[in-house]
């Protein structure tokens, strides 16, 4: 009579588990043996304006002679336009008096 296939499968699983455990131990030892500086400068990465990652810091931006563009309100004032009055909810229009009557 043939032996149960169950014990063979159990042995295969145990061998596979032991092999995986040995590999993990070897990997752990390899990582410990590798030298790491642990310095902050080695861990820093920089991202440039295009999204590329590099180890070197980006060049400082050059200052341009361009002035800030004036806002639309500043342009109106410079051109002599009257500015709008701010909204006042308490102010009553004369038109509303005629409508209430």
């Amino acid at each position: 009579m043939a032996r149960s296939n169950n014990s063979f499968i159990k042995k295969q699983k145990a061998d596979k588990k032991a092999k995986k455990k040995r590999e993990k131990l070897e990997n752990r030892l390899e990582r410990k043996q590798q030298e790491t500086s642990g310095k902050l400068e080695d861990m820093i990465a920089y991202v440039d304006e295009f999204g590329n990652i590099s180890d070197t810091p980006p060049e400082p931006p050059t200052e341009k002679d361009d002035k800030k563009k004036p806002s639309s309100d500043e342009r109106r004032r410079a051109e002599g336009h009257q500015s709008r009055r701010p909204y006042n909810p308490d102010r009553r229009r004369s038109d509303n008096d005629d409508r209430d009557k």
Side-chain angles (χ1 to χ4, degrees):
M1 291 192 32
R3 287 177 58 189
S4 172
N5 205 14
N6 198 11
S7 61
F8 177 73
I9 293 172
K10 283 182 183 179
K11 188 176 179 183
Q12 275 187 331
K13 284 184 180 180
D15 290 342
K16 198 182 253 187
K17 189 174 181 180
K19 181 181 176 188
K20 191 172 185 178
K21 195 172 188 177
R22 276 193 309 269
E23 288 175 356
K24 280 189 173 184
L25 179 65
E26 290 172 5
N27 290 340
R28 194 176 334 136
L29 291 175
E30 283 178 25
R31 282 196 305 270
K32 281 186 179 181
Q33 290 173 353
Q34 290 177 354
E35 288 189 28
T36 55
S37 66
K39 294 180 183 176
L40 183 62
E41 291 84 28
D42 295 337
M43 292 187 248
I44 292 179
Y46 300 95
V47 180
D48 65 0
E49 67 226 22
F50 304 110
N52 301 324
I53 299 173
S54 67
D55 294 335
T56 58
E59 297 176 6
T62 57
E63 293 187 27
K64 297 179 180 178
D65 294 334
D66 297 327
K67 293 183 179 178
K68 179 184 166 190
K69 292 183 179 179
S71 67
S72 60
D73 290 337
E74 292 170 350
R75 275 187 266 138
R76 277 195 211 115
R77 287 186 199 124
E79 294 171 0
H81 292 289
Q82 290 181 348
S83 62
R84 291 184 171 181
R85 288 188 288 178
Y87 175 72
N88 185 355
D90 297 333
R91 192 185 80 175
R92 301 188 89 190
R93 294 176 125 180
S94 60
D95 298 346
N96 292 340
D97 294 335
D98 295 337
R99 291 183 190 165
D100 293 337
K101 292 181 181 177

